């Protein structure tokens, strides 16, 4: 039984001439080794630059949303805590979906609740008796 391989035969029986052998290496000019990261590095740098530009472009929007979310959390948390008399932990269940980054803190001495988004925004609301809870203008 003859050996079987997946290479098409060349030579006089098929009418084809074999491919020429590659030229010998020139000892005066050694061949460069192909770089594995040479093709990926420019793409990685370009992607990083685009990501940085996007982050800088969107930062004001992220900050504005964080300010709004922390102010809403402070106002709702203050009303829940001092008007309804609930615990601060139960007040966090009243938040809208998507407000998982907002945390609440309180100062019982001044009856103030602070809503904050780490590294972006923090707003406070103070209990004002009959008027309910009022946001502090700027803190």
């Amino acid at each position: 039984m003859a050996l079987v391989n997946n290479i098409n035969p060349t030579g006089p029986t098929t009418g084809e001439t074999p491919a020429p052998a590659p030229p010998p290496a020139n000892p005066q000019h050694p061949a460069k080794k192909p770089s594995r990261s040479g093709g990926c590095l420019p793409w990685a740098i370009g992607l990083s630059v685009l990501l940085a530009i996007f982050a800088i472009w969107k930062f004001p929007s992220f900050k504005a949303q964080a300010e709004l979310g922390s102010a809403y959390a402070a106002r709702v948390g203050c009303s829940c805590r001092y008007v309804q008399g609930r615990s601060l932990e139960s007040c966090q269940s009243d938040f809208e979906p998507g407000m998982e980054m907002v945390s609440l803190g309180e100062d019982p001495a001044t009856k103030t609740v602070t809503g904050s988004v780490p590294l972006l925004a923090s707003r406070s609301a103070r209990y004002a008796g009959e008027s309910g809870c009022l946001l502090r203008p700027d803190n």
Side-chain angles (χ1 to χ4, degrees):
M1 180 173 224
L3 292 175
V4 178
N5 62 20
N6 63 351
I7 299 174
N8 290 332
T10 58
T13 58
T14 61
E16 295 180 21
T17 57
N26 188 350
Q28 294 175 352
H29 300 290
K32 282 184 163 181
K33 290 183 180 179
S35 173
R36 297 187 87 206
S37 65
C40 295
L41 187 61
W43 285 100
I45 291 172
L47 186 61
S48 299
V49 168
L50 287 175
L51 186 62
I53 289 170
F54 178 76
I56 291 169
W57 177 54
K58 282 299 207 178
F59 181 75
S61 173
F62 293 149
K63 183 151 177 65
Q65 287 179 346
E67 285 283 337
L68 182 64
S70 61
Y72 172 81
R75 170 68 173 74
V76 169
C78 178
S79 295
C80 172
R81 175 74 178 106
Y82 294 109
V83 175
Q84 295 177 352
R86 295 170 42 198
S87 70
L88 203 59
E89 290 79 26
S90 73
C91 295
Q92 281 195 292
S93 65
D94 293 346
F95 289 171
E96 295 293 323
M99 293 187 60
E100 291 80 18
M101 292 289 295
V102 182
S103 62
L104 291 177
E106 74 173 314
D107 181 11
T110 60
K111 293 188 176 183
T112 302
V113 174
T114 302
S116 63
V117 176
L119 302 175
L120 288 177
S122 178
R123 295 292 306 265
S124 296
R126 183 181 56 83
Y127 178 65
E130 295 292 323
S131 300
C133 290
L134 304 174
L135 283 173
R136 294 177 133 181
D138 194 13
N139 50 350

